[in-house]
Amino acid sequence: MSGQKINKKLFQDRKRTNILSNPEQKFISYLVPRIPNWISSDGLTAIGLFGSLMIMVSFILAQYWDIDYLLLGIVGFFVQWFGDSLDGRIAFYRNKSRKWYGFSLDIVMDWISTVMIGLGYVFYAKGNFELTGFVLVALYGWAMILSLLRYKVTDKYTIDAGIVGPTEIRVIICLVLLIEVFFVGAIHYLVMGICAILFVINAIDTKKLLDLGDIRDAEEKKTKEPENV
């Protein structure tokens, strides 16, 4: 695995800037050729959605049965990453990619997964902390909207906010779940911290997006102006 090379063909549709992009892409390049032929791209999408269901259920079980069930959520995040990261890559590898179908399905499944995870946290949280589950979903939705708008304005699809992408978010939340198992109640304050960081990142990205919109407006206006004779 240490000598595994990145199959650049698998990642040509998007630019990644997240801090874990290099090891992640090497791992995906290793996994893709080893996925059985009977597992389709849509099948991997379903696996990713099942991972999100595992995370939601882990919160409910932790609330009503035992805190250790939060560890199931960590497994769920890996399952979610596996399905979500490989569904599009396997389509590229098998030359069966459907750009707009895959793009649309990916966005819808990401949103459903986010809502499921947020709902699970709402079941787990107590009192006013339930609101942080809603805020987290809203902020992640804001980030998704920014990605789509950035794609529209720049014609380049990116899913990362600088060095932080979906994979880093998953790792951070897994650490939060692990901390919660040993220090019950810590999750609420950690989620509040994550919400604050996401708000700042989204606000900065919104300003950058508006600046890009201004630049594109100016460029389009310039191309439409009649040349002086």
Side-chain angles (χ1 to χ4, degrees), residues 36-51:
N37 289 330
W38 57 268
I39 300 181
S40 66
S41 177
D42 286 349
L44 286 164
T45 300
I47 289 173
L49 189 63
F50 178 72

Side-chain angles (χ1 to χ4, degrees), residues 5 11 17 31 73 84 96 120-121 123 130 142-143 168 189 194 219 228:
K5 294 182 178 180
F11 310 99
T17 60
L31 289 174
D84 185 47
K96 295 182 178 179
Y121 178 71
F123 273 106
E130 293 178 2
W142 182 4
E168 285 73 19
Y189 301 99
I194 291 172
E219 290 175 348
N228 294 325

Side-chain angles (χ1 to χ4, degrees), residues 151-190:
Y151 188 20
K152 175 65 176 178
V153 172
T154 67
D155 294 323
K156 295 179 181 178
Y157 184 52
T158 58
I159 59 175
D160 303 321
I163 62 173
V164 178
T167 301
E168 285 73 19
I169 295 295
R170 291 184 181 104
V171 172
I172 291 170
I173 296 178
C174 284
L175 290 174
V176 169
L177 294 179
L178 189 60
I179 292 171
E180 177 68 6
V181 170
F182 293 101
F183 303 98
V184 179
I187 189 173
H188 306 311
Y189 301 99
L190 292 171

Side-chain angles (χ1 to χ4, degrees), residues 70-140:
L70 285 180
L71 299 176
L72 176 65
I74 297 177
V75 178
F77 270 110
F78 177 78
V79 173
Q80 186 204 56
W81 172 88
F82 181 86
D84 185 47
S85 299
L86 270 70
D87 55 1
R89 303 315 100 194
I90 202 71
F92 271 98
Y93 181 77
R94 295 174 179 173
N95 293 318
K96 295 182 178 179
S97 61
R98 292 172 287 177
K99 179 180 178 180
W100 296 116
Y101 170 88
F103 176 77
S104 302
L105 181 64
D106 189 48
I107 295 299
V108 172
M109 290 300 103
D110 280 351
W111 179 242
I112 292 175
S113 293
T114 300
V115 171
M116 290 172 67
I117 295 169
L119 183 61
Y121 178 71
V122 168
F123 273 106
Y124 181 79
K126 292 288 188 179
N128 293 332
F129 289 115
E130 293 178 2
L131 181 61
T132 57
F134 168 79
V135 172
L136 185 61
V137 171
L139 288 170
Y140 197 80

